[in-house]
């Protein structure tokens, strides 16, 4: 027997399975009511789900800002750090220039030297500054913690005095020191000599190419001919060094790399075609 329930409107006894009251017609739990309840339940679930997502977002930590790029490092000073107490008046030094490479520029006066420490401008060559070749020899006249007063002993500016930072000079190696520095059977003074000869070979090949081809033909074809001629002369010169010093081409390359890294002295090579 079906269980009965009371209609809340008219009080009639109605089967629990009935969708509506047969007396007054009030809907009880028919399909329409179930559908509405189901829809309401679904909407409530969706709402709770949405609230959960929003709450999760609110509880999540704020996104980290992108890292700020580091500010550019200040430009390197025009002179390296001083080497206090390293040199004394009368010492012979090799002018090697800045550690980053390039020519060494000496100031003509102490005032110009001090200005170059802080002021970046174009200094007039010859009048305010002058350039030293690779590892040219100089004599220390005065030594301070942050500067050297020197007199050039060789190169184009022989006899000229100038001011330079101690970090752009190094003591001239003693002959005993160079003799004890042996690499692949060659002492340092011999490797320095070979390095200078490699430089001479390249410069003379450049002079000869300029003399042969002149300065008129700068077309791609003309430049290719000039380069091929230059490289042929360099190869010929290197073969002569291999025979003279009893070394091979790979040794020449290593000596060239070592001399460049150590900024060994380079000889002056006059142009034989200059009148």
């Amino acid at each position: 027997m079906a269980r009965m329930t009371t209609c809340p409107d008219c009080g009639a006894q109605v089967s629990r399975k009935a969708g509506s009251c047969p007396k007054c017609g009030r809907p009880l739990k028919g399909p329409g009511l179930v559908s509405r309840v189901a829809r309401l339940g679904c909407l409530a679930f969706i709402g709770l789900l949405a609230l959960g997502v929003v709450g999760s977002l609110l509880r999540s930590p704020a996104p980290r800002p992108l890292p700020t790029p580091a500010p550019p490092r200040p430009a390197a000073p025009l002179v390296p750090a001083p080497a206090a107490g390293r040199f004394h008046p009368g010492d012979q030094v090799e002018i090697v220039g800045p550690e980053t490479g390039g020519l060494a520029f000496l100031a003509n006066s102490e005032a110009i030297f001090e200005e170059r420490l802080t002021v970046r401008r174009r200094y007039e060559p010859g009048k305010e500054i002058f350039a030293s070749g690779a590892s040219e020899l100089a004599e220390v006249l005065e030594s301070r913690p942050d500067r050297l007063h020197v007199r050039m002993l060789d190169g184009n500016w022989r006899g000229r005095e100038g001011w330079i930072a101690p970090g752009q000079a190094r003591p001239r190696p003693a002959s005993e020191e160079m003799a004890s520095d042996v690499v692949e059977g060659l002492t340092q003074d011999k490797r320095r000599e070979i390095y200078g000869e490699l430089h001479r070979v390249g410069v003379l090949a450049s002079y000869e190419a300029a003399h042969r081809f002149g300065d008129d033909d700068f077309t791609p074809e003309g430049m290719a001919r000039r380069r091929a001629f230059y490289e042929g002369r360099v190869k010929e010169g290197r073969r002569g060094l291999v025979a003279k010093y009893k070394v091979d081409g790979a040794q020449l390359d290593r000596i060239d790399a070592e001399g460049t890294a150590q900024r060994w002295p380079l000889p002056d090579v006059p142009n034989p075609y200059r009148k």
Side-chain angles (χ1 to χ4, degrees):
M1 180 175 178
R3 298 182 63 185
M4 305 298 287
T5 186
T6 301
C7 175
D9 284 351
C10 66
Q13 292 296 304
V14 185
S15 172
R16 288 183 177 273
K17 295 182 179 181
S20 60
C21 176
K23 182 177 180 181
C24 66
R26 174 188 173 89
L28 297 176
K29 61 172 186 176
L33 183 60
V34 173
S35 299
R36 286 194 296 272
V37 172
R39 284 198 297 270
L40 289 174
C42 183
L43 291 175
F45 174 79
I46 294 173
L48 290 174
L49 180 63
L51 288 175
V53 171
V54 171
S56 175
L57 292 175
L58 291 176
R59 289 191 301 270
S60 299
R64 295 181 179 179
L66 293 176
T68 304
R73 299 180 65 181
L78 293 175
V79 294
R86 185 179 175 190
F87 304 107
H88 303 87
D91 287 350
Q92 290 191 356
V93 297
E94 293 178 340
I95 307 298
V96 295
E99 295 180 357
T100 54
L103 293 174
F105 287 96
L106 291 82
N108 284 356
S109 67
E110 188 174 8
I112 293 296
F113 174 84
E114 291 180 348
E115 181 183 339
R116 293 185 73 230
L117 294 175
T118 56
V119 178
R120 292 181 180 272
R121 66 173 178 86
R122 186 182 182 279
Y123 292 87
E124 187 173 347
K127 184 178 180 180
E128 296 179 309
I129 59 174
F130 62 95
S132 165
S135 296
E136 288 183 350
L137 197 61
E139 178 187 0
V140 176
L141 302 177
E142 183 180 356
S143 176
R144 300 186 198 171
D146 65 340
R147 67 196 66 181
L148 293 177
H149 182 199
V150 300
R151 178 189 295 115
M152 302 303 299
L153 297 180
D154 59 14
N156 294 331
W157 298 105
R158 181 180 304 171
R160 188 161 189 170
E161 297 182 11
W163 295 82
I164 195 169
Q168 296 195 32
R170 68 182 171 202
R172 179 177 175 82
S175 57
E176 297 82 4
E177 181 184 349
M178 289 193 288
S180 63
D181 179 8
V182 181
V183 176
E184 296 183 300
L186 298 171
T187 59
Q188 184 186 134
D189 54 348
K190 184 60 66 175
R191 300 198 307 276
R192 285 183 173 225
E193 178 183 332
I194 295 173
Y195 178 70
E197 289 302 307
L198 283 168
H199 170 73
R200 189 186 307 277
V201 164
V203 173
L204 287 176
S206 177
Y207 288 154
E208 190 173 355
H211 176 74
R212 181 182 181 93
F213 294 97
D215 297 327
D216 298 329
D217 188 2
F218 288 102
T219 63
E221 296 79 9
M223 294 301 294
R225 288 191 295 269
R226 180 192 294 257
R227 183 172 183 82
F229 179 85
Y230 166 81
E231 291 177 347
R233 286 292 183 264
V234 168
K235 289 180 180 178
E236 182 180 339
R238 285 171 62 95
R239 285 194 294 268
L241 296 180
V242 166
K244 178 180 178 179
Y245 292 102
K246 303 296 187 287
V247 294
D248 56 34
Q251 281 181 283
L252 290 182
D253 291 338
R254 288 191 288 272
I255 291 171
D256 190 32
E258 182 185 12
T260 300
Q262 296 296 327
R263 293 174 284 180
W264 284 343
L266 294 172
D268 292 327
V269 184
N271 189 343
Y273 303 101
R274 181 175 294 170
K275 297 180 181 181

